[in-house]
Amino acid sequence: MPTVRVAVVQAGSVLFDTARTLEKLAALTADAAGRGARLVVFPEAFVGGYPKGLGFGARIGSRSPEGREEFRR
């Protein structure tokens, strides 16, 4: 069975900017391929922009108007 080099990327998307996230994905993929990776794995929802670290103003069952706007974006 042939060996396949796999790269696992631990990076976050560019929040609220899909175009820049795709540029980042392309750059990270090119870097991994340049190091010999044939398969590059990214975090779930990398392109969708999972809002890591945002609480949307929600604290124990409540949400603020600012949090609703963050969630909408």
Side-chain angles (χ1 to χ4, degrees):
M1 177 179 273
T3 301
V4 176
R5 185 171 293 217
V6 177
V8 177
V9 175
Q10 291 184 301
S13 56
V14 181
L15 194 57
F16 305 129
D17 194 334
T18 302
R20 284 183 51 213
T21 295
L22 291 172
E23 290 171 6
K24 184 175 182 178
L25 181 139
L28 291 167
T29 300
D31 180 60
R35 296 169 186 252
R38 304 266 303 160
L39 174 66
V40 183
V41 181
F42 284 82
E44 180 180 6
F46 182 81
V47 173
Y50 184 79
K52 180 180 179 187
L54 293 181
F56 307 113
R59 300 294 179 261
I60 318 225
S62 67
R63 180 166 284 152
S64 69
E66 295 84 8
R68 284 188 179 91
E69 179 58 23
E70 279 183 344
F71 185 78
R72 185 197 63 75
R73 285 185 69 201

